[in-house]
Amino acid sequence: MNEALSAPLDAPVAEPAVPKIRLRGLRKAFGPKKVLDGVDLDVMPGSSMVILGGSGSGKSVTIKCILGLITPDSGTIEIDGRNVLAMSAREREAVLDRTGMLFQNGALFDSLPVWENVCFKLLAQKRLDRRQARDKAAQALADVGLDASVGDLSPAELSGGMQKRVALARAIASEPEIIFFDEPTTGLDPIMGAVIDGLIVDCVKRLGATAVTITHDMASARRIGDHAAMIHQGRIVWTGPAATLGQTGNPIVDQFARGEREGPIKMELRR
Amino acid sequence: MSSSSLLARPLDGLAALGRAVLDLCRTAGAVTLFALNAVSHAVRPPFHPRLLLRAFLEVGYFSLPVVGLTAVFTGMVLALQSFSGFSRFGAEGAVANVVVLSITRELGPVLAGLMVSGRIGAAFAAEIGTMRVTDQIDALTTLSTDPIKYLVTPRLLAATLAMPLLVLVADVLGVMGGYLIATLKLGFSGPTYLKATLDFVQMTDVVSGLVKAAVFGFVVALMGTWCGYNSRGGAQGVGGATTKAVVASSILILALDYVLTEAFFSR
């Protein structure tokens, strides 16, 4: 026997790390339209994964499936090695409890002031009383560069950039283990986009969280992501380091990253 | 024209009718499950007393002016109409009886239900529908909060509890409207009119109206929240949900009014 290939019996064996999120064969169709057609993806603990793809490619549906907002037709979704689709409602709630989400348009509750939005989960679960929640909201707002006085405003009184920051504060206030970001820079000017990206990176690092971001903003993808995955026609067609975007050697990814009209991605245009 | 195409037309019509009936059954089943789910949350913690209070004020307190005015004018018109009708065969004395019976048994709950349907059913549908199309309902789920428990249950409870109180006020104001016309315009004596009213009205009349009010309140809130919760497609979808909520709850109020009247008063 080759000694180099045989380990001594008492030597520690390095166990392969369990992905924080593992998707296998995820499929979802809406009527005749197949949106997800067998998505396979691993997101390792503490890493920041960016999912890229054109409009309607299934990015949002993928994270909505993970969050339990949409039920996939088939496939498995594992979080910490456990298939959430096979869990009871209560177990699934416990898993959801460890996640945070920043929606594309913020999705702030316009009937509540900003501070109640930020601490909504903590108040709903009675983890804090209202006075403590106010202090916590002020701290979370400071973390995203907003003054505590913003807490008394209504979401309708905020600019788009401020709404995104408040939504980010809400996503991180409960200190989740996994945070999802849906198009965090859409609708923002480039400078505000960079500010939001910087805040996301800081917050995720500080919490030691696993992050999954969906975007088609390449600058944002490079700033936020450690790793990137490209979804095309309902499947993941490439995964790799986010820093290599644009020179991956994969024609689909490279066309998307460079925003070229010619290439394997054909836009459906009606004349 | 071939015989097969002649046959196809009536069959197409039947198929369309069948589809419509199946859709109706499917919707009725879905609404029932939605209602059962919402009601079950009323007895399962956590509870949201602040939301219940807010919805109660919205349905009860802020609907008072519109329901009150409707009741007053309805009582006034009833007094005038019944007087002009009954005077043809010398039965003017029955005006007070007709007014109080019509208001407490029928017009109080039905008109209050229709007014609240236009005000509250539409508001619930628009508010929840907007939350649906702006991802706020999904956000509730990601914040470990059941949207049915948070958005639907407090509104259902509030409307079911507030409507009987509203109708009680409407009953009093409706009778007062009739009293004003009867005494100021038709020459009735005030004490005689009030005595006739109080002697004639029975507890069953008032209670049946309050039960109807509770049912109508539940229906208005249910249709408002259901249509809003299931709205799709932006502003147009929210507008459609609002219209659907008002139309569906108004029709259900009139249909259930007949069913409840049968249950209370048919011998």
Side-chain angles (χ1 to χ4, degrees):
Chain A
M1 186 183 285
N2 183 344
E3 283 184 12
L5 294 176
S6 65
L9 286 175
D10 56 350
V13 179
E15 284 189 22
V18 177
K20 192 74 179 170
I21 302 170
R22 167 173 278 180
L23 309 181
R24 285 293 177 269
L26 207 60
R27 287 186 163 76
K28 180 69 189 175
F30 295 101
K33 185 173 170 53
K34 279 185 190 170
V35 179
L36 304 182
D37 191 19
V39 168
D40 297 329
L41 184 69
D42 289 341
V43 184
M44 301 312 286
S47 70
S48 177
M49 167 67 79
V50 176
I51 302 176
L52 300 163
S55 300
S57 60
K59 307 184 297 290
S60 292
V61 174
T62 303
I63 61 169
K64 284 185 174 177
C65 285
I66 301 171
L67 283 164
L69 299 173
I70 293 176
T71 307
D73 297 333
S74 62
T76 59
I77 299 169
E78 290 178 15
I79 292 183
D80 290 328
R82 296 189 60 208
N83 184 5
V84 293
L85 298 175
M87 287 178 182
S88 67
R90 186 161 293 189
E91 287 175 315
R92 196 155 187 185
E93 270 174 33
V95 170
L96 259 183
D97 208 23
R98 295 186 280 134
T99 63
M101 166 84 181
L102 185 150
F103 285 85
Q104 185 175 346
N105 57 12
L108 298 174
F109 305 126
D110 38 27
S111 59
L112 300 176
V114 164
W115 77 267
E116 279 193 59
N117 265 282
V118 171
C119 284
F120 186 91
K121 191 171 183 175
L122 301 171
L123 282 167
Q125 296 178 332
K126 302 200 187 326
R127 284 201 244 165
L128 300 178
D129 62 31
R130 292 178 73 79
R131 179 178 293 229
Q132 291 169 320
R134 247 194 130 92
D135 293 341
K136 175 75 183 173
Q139 184 195 322
L141 288 171
D143 288 344
V144 296
L146 290 174
D147 191 76
S149 61
V150 172
D152 292 321
L153 300 177
S154 139
E157 295 175 87
L158 306 178
S159 67
M162 286 170 88
Q163 285 191 8
K164 278 273 160 80
R165 291 196 205 196
V166 172
L168 176 60
R170 183 174 71 179
I172 61 169
S174 60
E175 299 178 3
E177 292 174 20
I178 306 169
I179 314 179
F180 297 90
F181 301 99
D182 184 358
E183 309 273 7
T185 56
T186 297
L188 301 178
D189 65 71
I191 297 169
M192 183 52 76
V195 168
I196 294 289
D197 286 342
L199 288 170
I200 287 174
V201 171
D202 291 347
C203 293
V204 168
K205 278 192 180 150
R206 195 175 59 248
L207 294 173
T210 305
V212 178
T213 307
I214 59 177
T215 186
H216 41 225
D217 176 345
M218 299 312 299
S220 177
R222 291 189 190 95
R223 283 193 292 256
I224 293 175
D226 304 322
H227 305 281
M230 174 83 192
I231 190 165
H232 179 60
Q233 294 181 340
R235 287 165 178 265
I236 299 289
V237 293
W238 175 86
T239 54
T244 64
L245 284 169
Q247 53 227 358
T248 63
N250 181 309
I252 296 173
V253 184
D254 289 346
Q255 182 198 352
F256 187 83
R258 294 178 197 142
E260 293 167 345
R261 287 178 63 186
E262 301 301 323
I265 304 173
K266 304 289 180 205
M267 286 293 155
E268 289 176 15
L269 294 175
R270 283 191 185 162
R271 291 175 191 278
Chain B
M1 194 180 287
S2 71
S3 59
S4 62
S5 64
L6 277 174
L7 257 178
R9 274 190 191 165
L11 287 178
D12 283 351
L14 273 178
L17 182 66
R19 270 195 297 275
V21 171
L22 284 176
D23 278 349
L24 187 66
C25 292
R26 199 177 297 124
T27 306
V31 171
T32 307
L33 290 176
F34 181 82
L36 288 174
N37 186 11
V39 169
S40 75
H41 280 296
V43 292
R44 283 186 287 156
F47 302 112
H48 296 289
R50 293 166 74 91
L51 296 176
L52 178 63
L53 182 65
R54 192 190 299 169
F56 189 87
L57 285 177
E58 187 62 38
V59 179
Y61 185 70
F62 293 113
S63 298
L64 264 177
V66 67
V67 170
L69 281 173
T70 308
V72 169
F73 286 117
T74 304
M76 290 162 74
V77 169
L78 257 181
L80 273 181
Q81 287 283 23
S82 52
F83 182 80
S84 76
F86 291 160
S87 62
R88 290 178 197 170
F89 42 92
E92 296 93 334
V95 167
N97 307 346
V98 169
V99 170
V100 72
L101 211 64
S102 308
I103 291 284
T104 53
R105 282 188 178 189
E106 290 299 328
L107 295 175
V110 170
L111 291 180
L114 294 176
M115 287 294 133
V116 169
S117 160
R119 216 185 86 77
I120 296 298
F124 284 176
E127 191 179 348
I128 296 177
T130 305
M131 290 184 75
R132 166 63 72 195
V133 301
T134 55
D135 289 335
Q136 291 180 52
I137 292 183
D138 283 349
L140 279 174
T141 306
T142 65
L143 292 165
S144 307
T145 299
D146 189 316
I148 301 279
K149 178 184 270 298
Y150 188 80
L151 296 174
V152 180
T153 305
R155 286 171 167 85
L156 279 185
L157 279 179
T160 309
L161 296 173
M163 269 295 284
L165 297 177
L166 263 181
V167 167
L168 208 54
V169 175
D171 286 350
V172 173
L173 292 175
V175 170
M176 283 304 298
Y179 171 84
L180 286 176
I181 290 297
T183 53
L184 298 178
K185 189 171 167 60
L186 305 176
F188 281 72
S189 134
T192 311
Y193 186 93
L194 283 181
K195 186 171 185 315
T197 299
L198 293 173
D199 285 349
F200 193 73
V201 72
Q202 293 180 346
M203 188 55 90
T204 328
D205 302 324
V206 179
V207 169
S208 70
L210 299 185
V211 171
K212 282 181 179 181
V215 173
F216 297 164
F218 182 83
V219 165
V220 166
L222 178 63
M223 295 320 296
T225 52
W226 158 261
C227 292
Y229 199 82
N230 290 285
S231 66
R232 295 282 183 275
Q236 197 177 10
V238 176
T242 308
T243 308
K244 229 188 286 180
V246 175
V247 171
S249 56
S250 301
I251 291 172
L252 281 172
I253 283 171
L254 296 174
L256 286 170
D257 183 43
Y258 171 75
V259 174
L260 292 170
T261 305
E262 273 280 347
F264 274 110
F265 299 108
S266 78
R267 300 264 181 247

